[in-house]
Amino acid sequence: MADVLVIASKVKKYIKDKAEMNTSASTIEVLSNAVAKLCDQAIENARSDGRKTVKDRDINPE
């Protein structure tokens, strides 16, 4: 994936503040891919409901 969908500095800070751990560069790519998959599924959910707007109910992280 070419586009990064998460802010690396925010993710690194969150992990550092929460657990005193460092974050590898590959973690950002994996998280970005996970966000893209969530968005793709949300788009399909909205489309199947006949909407052109993705809503919070379209996102199912499980």
Side-chain angles (χ1 to χ4, degrees):
M1 168 182 274
D3 292 334
V4 176
L5 301 179
V6 297
I7 301 169
S9 62
K10 298 285 187 179
V11 171
K12 289 179 178 187
K13 182 179 181 339
Y14 176 82
I15 291 172
K16 181 63 101 176
D17 291 349
K18 182 85 175 182
E20 295 284 325
M21 294 180 173
N22 295 322
T23 306
S24 71
S26 61
T27 300
I28 304 305
E29 183 178 349
V30 171
L31 282 173
S32 189
N33 290 337
V35 169
K37 287 178 185 176
L38 280 172
C39 289
D40 291 344
Q41 186 59 55
I43 290 165
E44 288 304 313
N45 291 342
R47 190 173 283 146
S48 71
D49 278 353
R51 290 182 278 108
K52 289 190 174 188
T53 302
V54 174
K55 297 184 176 184
D56 58 339
R57 68 181 186 222
D58 295 316
I59 299 170
N60 184 8
E62 280 100 47

